[in-house]
Each structure stands twice: as structure tokens, then as C-alpha cells.
């Protein structure tokens, strides 16, 4: 609400411009998270500059001042993104253009360019996030933009800010019913209506197709949910909660990567035993192709809404989707905790898991040779290395020291402190140096049950790396060297092992944190999950099921479009009906009076809106000839007596007499 002080200090132009600047600030707010720091700083500076000019009544800068600024900004965009095309560069330029245009509003046309740029930029924020919070900020920004647009349309007396905000919110509210109908009934096609640029999947959090020291320890700082799981049976114990993802078999001396990233058809080389565990998994968008399942997956899942055979599994038991996960993917899969993998193979078949680059980690190679001479048996050697990790002052930390060229040497013999990627990498190197085939597997370990909606949540902070070794007659066996150093990481949670720093150390949302905060987080996660399920994941299949529940079986897109327009028209009619009924009703007496005023407007002088019958009569006395004025005078005196008097006679007789006098006013 506008305070009297501001009404006396700020002129209407100033207050309307400041309202527009405020609206633009809320439009830019959702983009601050993903834009580069210098872009956010530049946009903020331009908004502050425009606000200062408005408050102090200064002139806007001339074009020769703005042109170099615009050129520098465009140069910054190109240096940052190496292009002017694509999602990131395009949204950045739109944000900068919006703030620059605020400094170049010389005509009313420029004003509406700013407003419509704001509408468009608000739409682009959904490229990055579609959460409830993002929707709420967008609705608030939309109300402010509509209020600013209305404010510049007023002539004469301007209503208070609270009344204009209420009107802007009312306009938005009128559109919500039609929006809901369009959301439910507008035909949905498989995939998006348009193609996104090549960089549309950038800035996604999740596991990478390679692993170097520090990769996973940076990822686990994020509490974002990687995927949710619904179990149809009791949740497996913590030691079985290994979510298999990516197998890394190639090593260049520092970085582990996939040796054959191409998906291949499944080869029957896994033997399962015991009971299976059925999982219904909802994978969050990560821009990658791999899917996750409990170790070891036993079947090919079918992604909901995707084409058949859209998932492949390779000989390393990696699940791959044909398309990157640009939106949430739901699939069901069975896994067997008890299995043997490639037990019938020979060492030549898995010899690619023995390859080591030359010239790296000489101390590690020598250490492995000594252990191999001391422990000829493979299983004894494995236990010796795990005991070495357990007993030789190794520690588990999120902030290990940076390692140089011989990263395994420095970790094993100097720092002796690291995260799961350090232990799994060093263990696999020792295995290979001892002539035991081994590889690194990355995925997630553990998770937590949300007791509000009964979904099992696996977060990025649960990211983990472990090892697999191949033993003759037993096949590939999972070995987690991290468990030798920090068994609490596997049996409980990362929060029990690693001390957080900064804000995370003050507010701990982990299992050992404050129960009230944990409960609030679970409530919020459950709300977000419901939003994801029923709003963001309302796809073609769910729309078809919804229409089937209404009795529309096997409806095609043409009939669906017709149904949408019928429903939308009905909603618009229901919205318009109260407005039509709330229109001020004009009495029969006033209708005759307004007909008289329209006739006098054409003949002599129009009636002013504030003018009553008596004042209008005085002006007509000067404008009409005396012969015509007599009829006008009798009409207005009779109307005034009937409209405002107490004893003017029956209304029907008065109306009949007024119509007669009106006919005589020719």
C-alpha cells in the first residue's frame, strides 16, 4: 500500500517506474542461481542505476554511454559461452537486454518492450528448475508485471498500490481455471513441443562418466535427491544398498573412465539366487543416459512413456537409456543381492581389467609386488590390503589434500586421508599390480526412508565408489575398501563419519540431526514428490488414464482438442456469468434519460459525466433554440422530479410522458 509520505514525495511517473524495476528484479531472481557471477552483478548494477536515476529525477543516459556498455556485455557473453547461440548464452543476453532497456525507456513503446521482455524471460526460468518455489516466485513476478502494466494505463486518478496489486492478482486468478483445463486436457505428444539447444542439459548435478580424486567428494556436498525408490517388500539392510551405476575400467594414471561406453545387448553371464528385490524408481533429471538399480539388476526396465526397447544393459551390467534423462523417468526393475557374475570366464577374458599405464605410481607397484610375494592366495591378498587400510592410520575425509602426478603413491604413503574415490582407486591399482583383475564401480550407497510418503530417498550426498575384483571360479565380487576405514559410512550414513563445515555444521539434516528439522525436510520432500508426480510428470500415459477414468476411452488427439475447447468455453462462461450479473442494472427511467442525453449530444452539447440534470439544463439553455429548449426543459424537470422527488406519480405514467417529450425533441 502506498504511504501518504511516498505519495507526496514521488510523482506518478517515478512510482510507476520503481514498480516496474521491482517487477524486473523478481523476474531476474530465479536466474541468479545459474547465471555467471558477473552477469548477476551487471544486472544488479543496472537496476540500481535505473532506480537512482528515477529517485533523483535525472535524465536517462544517452546512447553513446549505453552503446559501449552493451558492447562490453556482449563481449562478456561471447567470452563466457564461446557463442551467442544456445540456451545459456540466449538467456544471459535476454537478462542483460532487459536491464539495458530499462535505461532506454524514452517512449511508451519502450515501456511495453520491457514488460513483454519480462514475460518472456520469466518463461525461460523454467528451463532450469520447475520446483514449487520457482513456480511461486514466477507467480509473484507475474502479478508485479501485470500491476506495472496496469499502472501505466491509468489516466486521471490512480488507485492505491494495494488496489492495483489486487486487480493484477485477480486478472491472473481469472486465467488459472483455463490453465488447469489446458494442463489436463490439451493433447500431450511424446517428447517436447520444440527441440532444446545442445547445451540444454548442462549444469546438471550427478555422477560423471569419469572419476578423478575429488570428484565424488565435491558431489556429496549436495543434498539434492538423485532418485526415489518405492519398495514392494521390506527395505533391504544397509549393507545391501549398493545402487549400481557406472563401471570404470580404463585408467590413464590419474582418471578412471569407461573403456567401452557403447551399450550392448545383454549376454547371459550372470547367475542369480535367492529372492529378488522389486524396485519402483523415479530418477531425477541429470542429463545422463545411465540408470540405477540395486546391485545386481536382473531385467531390462521399461521407462514409463518411452518407446519399447529404450533401455540396454551391457556386459558390465550397466543400465543405459537411449536418451538422456532430461525429465524425470519412472521405471521398475528387479535385483538380486545374491549372484555370480562371469564366474565361468577365464583371466584372458577379463584381461582388460589388468591394464595399467606405465610410468605412474612406482611405490604402489613395488608395494603390490611385496604383498603378492607374501600372499600368493588372492583372497588372502585382498584381506591384507583391507587390513592395511584399517590398521595403518588411514582416515576418511571430505577435504583431502590435492594429489600430484603419482596420486596413488601420495595417498597410500604420504597423506593417508581421502574419500571413497581415493580408496577404491588405490585398491584397484594394487589389485591390478598384483595380477588380479579389478575395476571401479560408481553409484550410490544407502539412502533414507521418508516416513511421510514412504519413498526411499537417495541423495547426491549418498554418491559412492567401490571396487570389483575377479576371482577364478567366483567371478566379479564387490569389495568396498571404504568400509575398512569407515564402516559407519556403509552401515549408517555419511553424516556419522564426516564432520561438516560452514552452515552444514550448524544445521544437520542427516539422521543424527535435529528431529524437528528432519521432519520438516521430509514433509517438504514429500510435497515436492507429489508435485513431481502429479504436475511435472503428467505425461501422455497419465493423461490417457485420466480421460479413461472420465469415460473417454481410446480418445484421439482431434477429439481431445475438441473436448479441451468445449471445457475451456464452459469455464470461460462460468467465469463471465458472475461478471455479467454484477453489472449495474439501469432502471427504465434512466434508460429514457440516457437516450435523451445521446440525442442532445448530437444536437447541441454532450453531458459531462459529473453533470446532473439541473446543470445540464442550464447549458442546454444557451445551446438550443428557444422552441426546442421548451421540450428539453419539460423533459429534464419531469425526470429530476421523478428521479429525486418524493411524489412524482406512478413510474409507468412518468416514463410514458418522458418518451412523448423525447419524441418531440427533434
Amino acid at each position: 500500500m502506498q504511504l501518504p509520505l511516498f505519495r507526496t514525495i514521488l510523482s506518478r511517473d517515478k512510482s510507476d517506474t520503481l514498480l516496474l524495476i521491482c517487477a524486473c528484479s523478481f523476474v531476474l531472481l530465479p536466474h541468479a542461481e545459474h547465471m555467471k557471477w558477473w552477469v548477476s552483478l551487471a544486472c544488479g548494477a543496472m537496476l540500481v542505476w535505473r532506480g537512482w536515476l528515477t529517485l533523483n529525477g535525472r535524465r536517462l543516459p544517452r546512447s553513446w554511454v549505453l552503446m559501449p556498455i552493451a558492447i562490453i556485455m556482449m563481449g562478456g557473453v561471447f567470452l563466457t559461452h564461446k557463442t551467442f547461440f544456445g540456451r545459456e548464452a540466449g538467456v544471459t543476453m535476454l537478462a542483460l537486454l532487459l536491464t539495458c532497456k530499462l535505461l532506454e525507456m524514452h517512449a511508451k513503446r519502450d515501456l511495453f518492450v520491457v514488460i513483454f521482455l519480462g514475460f518472456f524471460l520469466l518463461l525461460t526460468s523454467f528451463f532450469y528448475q520447475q520446483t514449487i518455489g520457482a513456480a511461486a516466485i514466477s507467480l509473484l513476478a507475474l502479478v508485479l508485471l501485470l500491476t506495472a502494466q496496469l499502472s501505466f494505463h491509468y489516466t486521471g486518478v490512480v488507485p492505491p498500490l494495494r488496489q492495483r496489486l489486487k486487480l493484477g492478482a485477480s486478472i491472473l486468478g481469472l486465467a488459472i481455471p483455463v490453465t488447469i483445463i489446458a494442463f489436463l486436457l490439451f493433447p500431450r505428444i511424446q517428447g517436447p513441443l520444440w527441440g532444446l539447444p545442445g547445451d540444454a542439459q548442462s549444469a546438471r548435478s550427478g555422477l560423471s562418466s569419469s572419476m578423478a580424486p575429488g570428484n565424488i567428494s565435491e558431489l556429496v556436498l549436495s543434498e539434492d535427491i538423485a532418485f526415489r525408490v518405492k519398495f514392494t517388500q521390506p527395505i533391504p539392510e544397509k549393507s545391501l544398498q549398493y545402487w549400481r551405476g557406472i563401471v570404470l575400467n580404463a585408467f590413464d594414471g590419474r582418471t578412471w573412465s569407461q573403456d567401452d561406453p557403447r551399450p550392448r545387448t545383454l549376454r547371459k553371464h550372470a547367475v542369480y539366487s535367492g529372492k529378488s528385490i522389486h524396485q519402483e524408481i523415479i530418477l531425477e533429471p541429470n542429463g545422463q543416459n545411465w540408470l540405477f538399480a540395486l546391485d545386481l539388476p536382473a531385467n531390462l526396465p521399461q521407462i514409463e512413456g518411452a518407446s519399447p526397447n529404450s533401455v540396454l544393459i551391457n556386459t558390465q551390467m550397466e543400465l543405459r537409456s537411449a536418451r538422456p534423462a532430461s525429465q524425470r523417468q519412472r521405471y521398475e526393475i528387479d535385483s538380486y543381492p545374491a549372484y555370480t557374475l562371469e564366474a565361468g570366464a577365464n583371466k584372458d577374458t577379463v584381461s582388460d581389467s589388468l591394464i595399467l599405464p606405465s610410468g605412474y605410481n612406482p611405490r604402489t607397484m613395488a608395494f603390490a609386488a611385496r604383498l603378492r610375494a607374501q600372499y600368493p592366495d588372492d583372497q588372502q591378498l585382498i584381506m591384507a590390503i583391507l587390513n592395511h587400510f584399517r590398521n595403518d592410520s588411514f582416515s576418511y575425509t571430505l577435504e583431502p589434500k590435492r594429489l600430484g602426478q603419482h596420486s596413488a603413491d601420495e595417498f597410500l604413503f604420504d597423506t593417508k586421508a581421502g574419500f571413497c574415490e581415493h580408496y577404491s582407486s588405490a585398491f584397484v591399482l594394487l589389485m591390478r599390480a598384483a595380477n588380479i583383475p579389478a575395476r571401479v564401480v560408481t553409484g550410490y550407497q544407502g539412502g533414507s526412508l521418508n516416513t511421510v510418503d514412504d519413498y526411499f530417498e537417495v541423495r547426491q550426498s549418498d554418491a559412492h565408489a567401490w571396487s570389483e575384483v575377479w576371482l577364478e571360479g567366483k567371478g566379479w565380487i564387490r569389495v568396498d575398501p571404504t568400509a575398512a576405514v569407515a564402516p559407519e559410512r556403509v552401515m549408517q550414513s555419511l553424516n556419522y563419519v564426516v564432520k561438516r563445515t560452514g552452515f552444514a555444521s550448524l544445521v544437520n539434516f542427516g539422521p543424527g540431526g535435529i528431529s524437528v528439522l528432519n521432519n520438516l525436510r521430509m514433509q517438504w520432500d514429500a510435497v515436492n514428490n507429489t508435485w513431481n508426480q502429479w504436475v511435472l510428470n503428467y505425461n501422455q500415459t497419465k493423461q490417457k488414464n485420466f480421460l479413461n477414468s472420465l469415460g473417454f476411452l481410446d480418445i484421439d488427439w482431434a477429439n481431445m482438442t475438441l473436448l479441451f475447447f468445449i471445457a475451456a468455453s464452459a469455464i470461460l462462461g462460468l467465469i463471465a456469468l458472475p461478471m455479467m450479473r454484477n453489472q449495474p442494472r439501469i432502471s427504465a427511467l434512466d434508460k429514457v434519460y440516457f437516450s435523451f442525453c445521446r440525442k442532445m449530444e448530437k444536437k447541441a452539447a454532450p453531458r459531462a459525466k459529473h453533470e446532473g440534470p439541473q446543470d445540464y439544463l442550464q447549458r442546454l439553455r444557451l445551446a438550443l433554440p428557444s422552441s426546442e429548449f421548451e421540450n428539453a426543459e419539460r423533459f429534464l424537470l419531469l425526470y429530476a422530479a421523478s428521479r429525486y422527488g418524493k411524489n412524482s406519480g406512478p413510474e409507468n405514467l412518468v416514463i410514458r410522458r418522458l418518451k412523448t417529450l423525447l419524441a418531440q425533441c427533434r
Side-chain angles (χ1 to χ4, degrees):
M1 185 178 70
Q2 284 182 323
L3 297 174
L5 176 62
F6 283 96
R7 279 202 290 264
T8 57
I9 294 178
L10 297 179
S11 64
R12 178 189 166 183
D13 287 342
K14 287 184 178 182
S15 61
D16 290 347
T17 303
L18 290 175
L19 178 61
L20 180 60
I21 295 172
C22 179
C24 291
S25 300
F26 275 90
V27 168
L28 292 168
L29 184 60
H31 293 279
E33 182 179 355
H34 64 83
M35 286 193 304
K36 300 296 183 182
W37 65 269
W38 70 266
V39 180
S40 300
L41 185 62
C43 290
M46 301 286 270
L47 290 173
V48 171
W49 187 12
R50 184 62 173 94
W52 180 81
L53 292 175
T54 301
L55 288 172
N56 290 276
R58 303 294 183 91
R59 295 185 59 182
L60 295 179
R62 299 185 180 274
S63 58
W64 62 268
V65 176
L66 291 177
M67 187 62 68
I69 296 176
I71 292 174
I72 292 173
M73 288 180 174
M74 292 303 103
V77 172
F78 187 80
L79 290 175
T80 301
H81 301 289
K82 310 302 180 186
T83 181
F84 288 122
F85 303 99
R87 184 191 68 172
E88 300 295 336
V91 173
T92 300
M93 286 193 293
L94 277 175
L96 294 172
L97 177 62
L98 176 67
T99 54
C100 286
K101 194 63 182 175
L102 282 169
L103 291 164
E104 200 202 14
M105 293 196 308
H106 299 292
K108 201 168 187 178
R109 176 181 61 86
D110 298 324
L111 164 70
F112 292 111
V113 168
V114 171
I115 291 176
F116 290 119
L117 264 177
F119 285 133
F120 189 77
L121 192 60
L122 196 60
L123 179 65
T124 63
S125 65
F126 292 107
F127 283 153
Y128 302 93
Q129 54 181 345
Q130 300 171 12
T131 61
I132 299 176
I137 293 177
S138 297
L139 287 175
L140 178 59
L142 195 56
V143 170
L144 291 174
L145 279 174
L146 288 172
T147 304
Q149 186 176 6
L150 289 169
S151 299
F152 286 101
H153 276 96
Y154 280 107
T155 57
V157 179
V158 181
L161 178 59
R162 175 181 290 181
Q163 186 174 338
R164 282 178 282 155
L165 285 170
K166 185 178 179 181
L167 180 58
S170 300
I171 293 174
L172 181 61
L174 291 175
I176 288 178
V178 179
T179 303
I180 294 175
I181 292 297
F183 173 78
L184 293 174
L185 299 181
F186 192 82
R188 292 175 179 262
I189 63 173
Q190 197 67 39
L193 290 174
W194 56 81
L196 290 177
D199 62 349
Q201 304 305 330
S202 61
R204 299 281 194 181
S205 63
L207 290 173
S208 171
S209 59
S210 62
M211 185 190 79
N215 283 11
I216 296 182
S217 58
E218 292 177 359
L219 179 62
V220 298
L221 296 175
S222 170
E223 286 294 327
D224 293 340
I225 291 179
F227 53 90
R228 293 178 171 90
V229 187
K230 178 76 77 173
F231 290 101
T232 57
Q233 55 219 105
I235 298 174
E237 60 185 60
K238 202 76 172 179
S239 61
L240 299 179
Q241 294 172 10
Y242 282 85
W243 304 93
R244 191 182 188 88
I246 310 156
V247 177
L248 307 176
N249 200 42
F251 185 62
D252 63 1
R254 180 175 178 83
T255 302
W256 289 91
S257 59
Q258 297 172 295
D259 59 351
D260 187 1
R262 296 171 297 173
R264 294 168 285 179
T265 56
L266 176 62
R267 192 175 71 197
K268 297 295 183 181
H269 61 303
V271 178
Y272 304 96
S273 59
K275 292 184 179 180
S276 65
I277 300 175
H278 185 76
Q279 310 136 67
E280 177 188 312
I281 297 178
I282 302 171
L283 180 67
E284 292 293 309
N286 55 30
Q288 307 294 347
N289 293 79
W290 40 79
L291 307 178
F292 299 92
L294 280 177
D295 207 7
L296 187 74
N299 65 300
L300 286 176
Q302 174 61 45
I303 298 176
E304 185 180 84
S307 57
N309 302 321
S310 60
V311 179
L312 294 175
I313 187 169
N314 61 17
T315 56
Q316 296 173 336
M317 304 306 289
E318 295 175 309
L319 292 168
R320 297 293 188 87
S321 173
R323 292 186 176 181
S326 58
Q327 56 188 0
R328 285 170 186 85
Q329 296 182 340
R330 180 189 176 277
Y331 56 93
E332 296 184 26
I333 192 169
D334 294 317
S335 299
Y336 285 83
Y339 63 88
T340 57
L341 180 60
E342 290 193 295
N346 54 55
K347 188 170 287 189
D348 292 336
T349 307
V350 294
S351 59
D352 56 346
S353 297
L354 288 170
I355 300 173
L356 286 173
S358 59
Y360 288 92
N361 304 301
R363 287 187 288 173
T364 301
M365 301 298 107
F367 180 57
R370 292 196 303 270
L371 289 175
R372 176 85 278 185
Q374 187 177 356
Y375 301 98
D377 182 74
D378 290 345
Q379 292 192 33
Q380 290 181 354
L381 178 61
I382 293 172
M383 291 305 301
I385 294 176
L386 294 179
N387 287 329
H388 177 71
F389 284 142
R390 189 179 295 115
N391 302 323
D392 198 19
S393 302
F394 282 86
S395 62
Y396 191 66
T397 177
L398 272 173
E399 300 177 349
K401 295 182 179 178
R402 295 183 62 87
L403 304 178
Q405 179 182 359
H406 303 292
S407 56
D409 282 357
E410 295 177 21
F411 166 67
L412 287 173
F413 305 105
D414 299 331
T415 65
K416 295 185 179 182
F419 204 60
C420 60
E421 67 263 39
H422 297 80
Y423 289 96
S424 59
S425 175
F427 181 83
V428 172
L429 287 179
L430 287 169
M431 288 292 101
R432 290 190 177 189
N435 199 33
I436 299 176
R439 60 196 183 189
V440 176
V441 182
T442 60
Y444 297 88
Q445 202 286 321
S448 58
L449 178 66
N450 189 322
T451 56
V452 177
D453 59 4
D454 289 329
Y455 270 90
F456 192 80
E457 297 172 344
V458 180
R459 300 179 179 273
Q460 299 297 351
S461 57
D462 297 314
H464 194 52
W466 61 93
S467 308
E468 283 185 341
V469 297
W470 184 89
L471 300 178
E472 190 168 354
K474 296 184 179 181
W476 291 102
I477 299 174
R478 180 175 65 240
V479 179
D480 191 351
T482 303
V485 180
E488 301 88 354
R489 167 63 183 90
V490 175
M491 299 309 298
Q492 297 184 37
S493 165
L494 181 69
N495 293 280
Y496 286 99
V497 184
V498 179
K499 291 184 177 181
R500 304 280 182 154
T501 58
F503 178 74
S505 64
L506 301 177
V507 182
N508 181 15
F509 289 108
I514 303 174
S515 59
V516 175
L517 297 179
N518 284 323
N519 186 56
L520 287 175
R521 185 177 77 161
M522 285 193 291
Q523 293 279 356
W524 179 245
D525 287 340
V527 170
N528 274 319
N529 188 32
T530 304
W531 169 268
N532 296 338
Q533 295 293 315
W534 297 104
V535 178
L536 301 184
N537 282 5
Y538 185 73
N539 52 24
Q540 191 179 37
T541 302
K542 289 188 176 180
Q543 186 182 51
K544 184 178 180 180
N545 294 336
F546 171 71
L547 292 173
N548 289 343
S549 68
L550 297 179
F552 298 98
L553 304 177
D554 298 325
I555 186 172
D556 57 12
W557 69 268
N559 290 326
M560 196 183 302
T561 304
L562 179 61
L563 178 63
F564 160 67
F565 281 111
I566 292 174
S569 300
I571 290 295
L572 288 174
L574 291 174
I575 294 174
L577 188 61
M579 297 181 180
M580 296 174 63
R581 295 180 62 182
N582 291 333
Q583 290 289 335
R585 303 184 67 178
I586 302 176
S587 65
L589 187 67
D590 288 334
K591 286 182 180 178
V592 180
Y593 174 62
F594 290 147
S595 297
F596 171 81
C597 293
R598 286 193 295 271
K599 182 172 288 189
M600 291 299 103
E601 182 177 357
K602 296 177 181 178
K603 181 182 293 287
R607 182 183 68 88
K609 291 183 179 181
H610 64 278
E611 208 166 26
Q614 297 292 344
D615 293 334
Y616 192 31
L617 178 63
Q618 299 304 320
R619 286 205 303 116
L620 290 178
R621 187 188 302 275
L622 302 176
L624 291 173
S626 57
S627 58
E628 296 183 15
F629 175 74
E630 292 178 2
N631 292 327
E633 184 179 28
R634 288 199 294 270
F635 181 95
L636 288 173
L637 291 175
L638 179 60
Y639 169 76
S642 178
R643 184 71 172 80
Y644 304 108
K646 294 183 179 180
N647 298 314
S648 56
E651 185 176 349
N652 58 342
L653 295 178
V654 174
I655 292 174
R656 189 181 305 170
R657 176 60 180 160
L658 287 174
K659 288 182 178 180
T660 302
L661 293 173
L662 179 63
Q664 295 174 359
C665 295
R666 298 178 180 176

